[in-house]
Amino acid sequence: MTRVLLTGFEPFADSAVNPSWQAVSLVAADPPPGTEVTAVRLACVFGTALEELAAAVAAADPELVLCVGQAGGRPGVTVERVAINVDDARIPDNAGRRPIDEPVVEGGPAAYFAPLPIKACVAAVRAAGIPAAVSQTAGTFVCNHVFYGLAHLIATERPALRGGFIHLPYAPEQVVDRAEPSLPAAVSAEALRAIIGAALSTRTDPRIAEGATH
């Protein structure tokens, strides 16, 4: 059995749900064949989330880690390409913290590319009939904070580990009063299962265009 760690976030601000936690919980309850999936919920709090991630990695000793977050307004599942070493919070996190222009890891590299076959993952989600794309930015809030922390952990302590960050659209119940894209939790969970399969079976990412002009 291949050990997989999935992380999602607690609800943020005034929302009652977070689609990332909904989806990873469903995958843990019904994992892809041949995998043993552990799901852990992270605080949407700078610093605390990284401590919880490190503890979860140590406990699960996974071969693959997918951290998952919410990207409201995006129309599909997005696989993040790059994590940057900066926290720049336009709004406070769930503990009221609002770092501005601070490094995620003092003295760490400016950025890390995801140690994940991102284009194969996107292709697998699309093959499942679910909209997906490569994303060139994970923002500068807690999602990027966790993504960079994971990439730094892999680079400095666990070079054999594969991992990355996935953003999901809103859940339908979050947008009943406004016209914004959403995906049901079950569909997002199916996308994560496809990503797990691609991540575990692909060693060389296909050379296909998934860039952006702006």
Side-chain angles (χ1 to χ4, degrees):
M1 301 288 282
T2 302
R3 297 180 303 280
V4 178
L5 172 65
L6 301 181
T7 71
F9 283 105
E10 66 182 353
F12 173 68
D14 59 354
S15 181
V17 301
N18 192 308
S20 65
W21 180 242
Q22 290 178 317
V24 302
S25 298
L26 290 174
V27 177
D30 184 18
T35 65
E36 177 183 293
V37 176
T38 300
V40 172
R41 191 171 83 160
L42 304 180
C44 191
V45 177
F46 288 101
T48 301
L50 289 190
E51 294 169 2
E52 293 172 341
L53 173 64
V57 170
D61 190 25
E63 296 161 71
L64 172 68
V65 179
L66 296 179
C67 296
V68 186
Q70 168 187 299
R74 292 189 185 179
V77 175
T78 45
V79 181
E80 297 297 340
R81 186 194 293 264
V82 61
I84 61 174
N85 192 15
V86 64
D87 292 330
D88 192 359
R90 182 177 54 82
I91 54 177
D93 65 14
N94 276 358
R97 299 175 187 171
R98 193 183 170 196
I100 297 175
D101 296 339
E102 296 181 10
V104 180
V105 177
E106 189 71 45
Y112 287 108
F113 285 114
L116 196 71
I118 58 171
K119 295 182 178 181
C121 291
V122 167
V125 176
R126 290 174 180 163
I130 303 167
V134 171
S135 170
Q136 318 303 331
T137 175
T140 57
F141 198 53
V142 184
C143 287
N144 175 76
H145 182 80
V146 166
F147 182 18
Y148 187 92
L150 171 64
H152 188 72
L153 178 68
I154 291 171
T156 59
E157 298 182 28
R158 289 179 171 260
L161 181 62
R162 306 194 94 188
F165 198 97
I166 315 298
H167 266 123
L168 303 178
Y170 283 129
E173 57 265 43
Q174 294 177 287
V175 295
V176 292
D177 59 346
R178 59 191 190 274
E180 291 199 60
S182 66
L183 279 181
V187 177
S188 292
E190 194 58 35
L192 294 179
R193 292 187 187 96
I195 290 170
I196 290 171
L200 294 178
S201 64
T202 307
R203 290 295 159 182
T204 302
D205 214 11
R207 188 176 173 84
I208 53 179
E210 290 287 352
T213 56
H214 57 80

